[in-house]
Amino acid sequence: MVNLTIRNISEELMNKLRKLAAIERRSINNEILILLEKSLFGYTPEKIVDQAAVDAQAELWQKLSGEWDDPRSASEIASEISSTRTKGREVNI
């Protein structure tokens, strides 16, 4: 790896770098590298989302999920769920 020294960074620019690095939870050095990659390559490897893979996964989940066929209304189903819940344990504060 190559090391690089950058001189004459304005205080305003440095403050913005510090804030952005803190927001992204990165070191200032890593934040600068990410910004350089974005400007030179138009993306950062860690933020690439393969949309085809996302679509394929969504389609698979839709096939696996099927449909829910129940003659009861939503409120009847919710009432049954509520009535069969256990109270839980008592807590003394």
Side-chain angles (χ1 to χ4, degrees):
M1 294 251 157
V2 176
N3 291 319
L4 174 68
T5 301
I6 302 174
R7 292 182 171 83
N8 301 321
I9 298 175
S10 71
E11 198 61 39
E12 180 184 13
L13 178 58
M14 195 63 208
N15 287 335
K16 286 186 178 192
L17 284 170
R18 284 185 186 112
K19 286 179 186 177
L20 186 56
I23 289 168
E24 296 293 336
R25 295 183 177 192
R26 296 184 183 120
S27 68
I28 293 172
N29 186 76
N30 283 345
E31 191 60 41
I32 291 170
L33 289 173
I34 296 293
L35 291 170
L36 283 170
E37 285 180 353
K38 280 182 180 179
S39 66
L40 295 174
F41 302 118
Y43 68 93
T44 58
E46 64 196 28
K47 294 194 178 185
I48 294 174
V49 176
D50 183 0
Q51 191 59 44
V54 170
D55 292 343
Q57 187 176 21
E59 185 178 334
L60 178 61
W61 278 110
Q62 285 177 338
K63 287 179 184 177
L64 290 172
S65 64
E67 292 182 20
W68 183 323
D69 186 23
D70 196 321
R72 299 173 295 168
S73 69
S75 62
E76 290 172 322
I77 294 170
S79 293
E80 182 182 333
I81 291 170
S82 295
S83 68
T84 57
R85 287 187 175 161
T86 60
K87 297 268 185 194
R89 60 187 169 109
E90 288 187 29
V91 177
N92 294 323
I93 298 178

